[in-house]
Amino acid sequence: MDKTAQILFQYLKDILYRPGAAQLDPEALPEDFRKLGMGLQLLGHWVAEYNDFAKAIARG
């Protein structure tokens, strides 16, 4: 697996399993992968919002 794929896959795993540690700088990616990186950041934001919402519902 090449370095860019490893970075993106690790970020995807982090947003699912370690959202507080998930970090990605799309500008550090090759140009062809920057939009994908930004899309994954958006996905990470949505996952965090979902988690916050689920916790609030669980509290009542």
Side-chain angles (χ1 to χ4, degrees):
M1 186 182 309
D2 77 347
K3 183 179 178 179
T4 302
Q6 288 177 339
I7 290 168
L8 293 171
F9 184 62
Q10 183 61 50
Y11 180 70
L12 182 58
K13 289 190 313 186
D14 286 345
I15 64 174
L16 296 174
Y17 300 112
R18 302 173 351 146
Q23 293 184 353
L24 179 68
D25 178 13
E27 295 300 317
L29 297 171
E31 189 174 344
D32 293 347
F33 291 93
R34 288 184 187 151
K35 284 188 179 181
L36 176 58
M38 290 186 295
L40 287 175
Q41 282 183 319
L42 184 58
L43 176 64
H45 178 72
W46 290 338
V47 169
E49 282 184 351
Y50 171 79
N51 285 338
D52 291 342
F53 180 68
K55 289 175 188 175
I57 288 175
R59 286 191 298 268

